[in-house]
Every structure is written in structure tokens, then in C-alpha cells.
Amino acid sequence: QVQLVESGGGLVQPGGSLRLSCAASGSISRINAMGWYRQAPGKERELAAVVSTVGNTNYADSVNGRFTISRDNAKNTVYLQMSSLKPEDTAVYYCNLREILTDQNYWGQGTQVTVSS
């Protein structure tokens, strides 16, 4: 079993920055992808960014150029640096770990990000 614990959400003004962290623990496959999904009120959960074990990244068009995902494999931790935040970035952000070989998905509890003046 894998546990994901997120931190770093909060309230920020438009144009501001936040950094999310997600630490994974438990029986973690070494071949995996870690990422951040987000869900705004009344909308479906969507991918924001994902990074593979070897550092390959993929971003949603809506965040590309503003968000940067990174990971520390030694700490089993993934980060999401969010800059130039917009009100439409307001959502609950969920950490995800997907084991590539089994396609098993694990989710964090979610952390609220609110962008408002």
C-alpha cells in the first residue's frame, strides 16, 4: 500500500506563487509516474502536470509555462511550483502516483488552492 501526503496549499492573490509538495510512503514501485491533478467546483478532475521516474514531464496547456513539476526520488516526493496564478487555477489539487507496470493508481487527500484578491 502507498500513502500520499500533500502540503502547501492556501490562499494567494492573482499573479502570486505557491509550492505544493507530496510525499509518498509505503511499498512504492521504482517505476512510476507522479503528478498533480486538480478539480474545480462543478468540474471534472483534470491533469495539471506529471513527471516520470526519469524526469520526463507533461503539462496541461492551461498551466504550461506557469507551473513546474519536479521530483526527488530519494525522498519519494513530488513538487509543483505554481507561478503567475490565476483565479481559474482555484481548485483542490490532488497528488497521484501511478505504478507503470500494474497501472495501479494512488491518490492523496487533496489540498485547496484558492487564487483571489
Side-chain angles (χ1 to χ4, degrees):
Q1 193 70 6
V2 174
Q3 296 80 40
L4 302 174
V5 178
E6 301 132 332
S7 61
L11 173 65
V12 64
Q13 292 186 343
S17 299
L18 275 178
R19 188 192 196 208
L20 305 182
S21 300
C22 172
S25 61
S27 301
I28 303 168
S29 168
R30 287 192 293 178
I31 305 174
N32 63 66
M34 296 187 74
W36 292 92
Y37 288 70
R38 63 185 187 180
Q39 187 166 20
K43 295 187 176 181
E44 294 186 354
R45 191 175 298 188
E46 63 176 10
L47 173 70
V50 63
V51 58
S52 71
T53 308
V54 296
N56 296 323
T57 59
N58 189 36
Y59 295 93
D61 290 343
S62 57
V63 309
N64 198 20
R66 300 187 297 119
F67 290 10
T68 301
I69 191 168
S70 61
R71 64 186 290 168
D72 184 335
N73 289 333
K75 297 181 179 179
N76 290 318
T77 299
V78 63
Y79 306 96
L80 186 67
Q81 178 67 47
M82 304 184 292
S83 303
S84 301
L85 283 161
K86 306 175 181 179
E88 50 264 43
D89 294 317
T90 295
V92 178
Y93 283 70
Y94 295 93
C95 179
N96 170 266
L97 185 149
R98 181 169 66 90
E99 296 182 343
I100 302 301
L101 297 181
T102 64
D103 206 30
Q104 178 73 45
N105 276 278
Y106 299 95
W107 295 94
Q109 78 283 1
T111 185
Q112 177 70 46
V113 172
T114 302
V115 184
S116 175
S117 55

